[in-house]
Amino acid sequence: MTYTKLASASAIVLAATTLSTKANAEDLTLCWAAWDPANALVELSKEFEAESGHTMNFEFVPWPNFADRMLNELNSGGKLCDLLIGDSQWIGGGAENGHYVQLNDFFDAEGISMDDFAPATVYAYSTWPKGTPNYYALPAMGDANGWFYRKDWFENPEIQAAYKEATGQDLREPQSQKELLQIAQFFQGREIDGKTVYGAAIFTERGSEGITMGVTGALYPWGFKYENTPGSYDMEGAVNSPEAVEALEFYKEFYKTATPPGYTNSYMGESLDAFKSGQVAMAMNWFAFFPGLYADPNTGGDKIDFFVNPPQNQAGSTLGGQGISVVSYSDKQDAALEYIKWFAQPEVQAKWWELGGYSAHNSVLEDPGFVDSQPFAGDFLEAMAGVQDFWQEPAYAELLLAMQKRIHDYVVADQGTAQEALDLLIEDWTEVFEDEGKL
Amino acid sequence: MSDRTVDRVAEATPERVARKIRGLSDRAIAWIFISPTIFLLLAINIFPLIWTIQLSFTNYKANRIGREVKDVGLRNYERILTDSDTWLNMQATAHFLFWTIFFQVLIGFTLAWLINKKFKGNDLWTTIIVLPMMLSPAVVGNFWKFLYQPQIGLFNYIVSWFTGKDPSSFEMLGSVTLAPWAIVIVDTWMWTPFVMLICLAGLRSIPDYIYEAAEIDRASKLRQFFTITIPMVLPFLMLAVLFRGIENFKMFDLVVQLTGGGPGSVTELTSINLKREAFEKWRTGYASAYAIILFVTVFGLASIYVKALNKVKQR
């Protein structure tokens, strides 16, 4: 074959391939929350568009409305989303109500193994019933609640001396929950650079999930358990154990003595604002925000550092993060599955981490250079080793809103005791499980 | 329509149709015209109401399509009426209703009375006063949230200027005792102009000759106020109370923006609680029973009130 003939044949094959790809090209819509990692995913997905010929559209909803908007969409059998990065708590409802496509056969056919992902993320983001090998999502975004602090303040010799004088200890990253409170109380109302600053920004939001996500950051390190025996729904003695009561009292003391005035209904946004505006020495928030915080020109870089939620009786962090699922009402399930297949590749996962997403793939997490790849990477690994999640039951919303109410009543509204709040919470949860036929 | 046009329409109407229309009674023609409205009313109001009543006796959850729906009898009603939280929500709603209406009527009437006096620039003042009413409740909620902020909020600074207290020493939205009042203040700020406009209409409807006759009879200004002004404006005032009462009973957006129902549950009005039950917890059957209880309450109270209003109008 001459060179001209070879070139012509290649051109014909190429054109045919392009045409056939175009013929099957789909407009896929991926739904998620509107936050920093979502922007990273848009960037990452450009490669998928180039490779597959499919077009990616994105529907990002602000966090306060995310659950309402997306769960309404799923409950109404809407076709807006072909792919959904849904919260970990939704997995039970997503599976039982038939919103998500079960992915086992697809994983088997494509050689995608859940052993390639961090076990905690597979358990939390993918499986229903919990721990069984029934997969409804691929771990997409590992996340946990962590802390960040003003490194420049912690390293200031005058502040260090004042702390030593006040507590007899060195000012350092807190090693326990009680030390965390002590440091926060030290900074509360202190004047730094001519400005009054406060201890820490914590979650106290009432409407969606804020205060629950915050308070579990104290409950888990104290040893809080939802059930005495997993799967038994026997909560008496677990949910209201003496350790749980102590942890709840601790969180209230933290709120009352070490947070800025007016942070009575604060969540992710308020925490970021408090830190970026130089109001607080420390703040809790999801690891997902840490790349953005580090990049902040005013309070990032060498002024910030990060630490994992400190232990008390044990290590424990509140789980965030999400898995990516194919919505069962989508007419483009094949293309959506293609996206998941592409996303599961180790090299794509590596790029995902590089762009600011939190990969849960072992090839990324176990890479020798991972810990040093970002100032918060080591803390992320440590946090993910000790994460716990809220109930992932189909009735999780009822369970969550009951906890929101009881905890806010006690911590912010100052009503009743910690013991009463947890006793009432058990009553609420028992009623929900009775309605569900599980008790 | 000119006579010529009418003739043309009559000529153009086919004899068969014309005969048919001519054969109909007035009552039948009336039914033909109002039946679309009745159909819409049935479809949009009556059918959902009946369906809601039916759902209120079940454990139905709108987000659990495959789940077996069981008849639970009066259990939803029993649960709601024996739940202490329901009564706390009712109390919060009653507190909000009473004080907002009280302040709005008091201030609204006073403003209307002042604006009604002939003075230079009263049109400008009327426009300025009605501005808050034109804003969206969501915007107003956010706006006042900043005003109430203990560290940077103007409201706290103004209070501290008068009281000498540190602005960050009190939290309007975070305090159990202050948060309900914070909402009352915002609603009053926003809706007093509405009451003022209604009162102004009432005041301007009083003919001058009545006051002139009272002057001739040497009635004092105070006497004129209580024997002429108040009785003649009263039906308007009652109408304003009815409008504001109905609006505030279902108040949602402003409170959600300001406090989200908190701190704890002290500002969780019945409408917020109902929304949580129906569209966050997805307890559809339970929420239906809740809605029916609220409907009966409002309907009962409104009926009594409208009767009283009619009596006042007849006087």
Side-chain angles (χ1 to χ4, degrees), chain A residues 28 31 150 203 206 223 287 421:
Chain A
L28 286 175
C31 300
R150 286 295 296 261
F203 298 158
R206 167 72 174 91
F287 272 83

Side-chain angles (χ1 to χ4, degrees), chain B residues 193-208:
Chain B
F194 175 75
V195 178
M196 184 200 81
L197 287 178
I198 294 181
C199 291
L200 199 59
L203 286 169
R204 288 190 175 160
S205 71
I206 304 171
D208 286 344

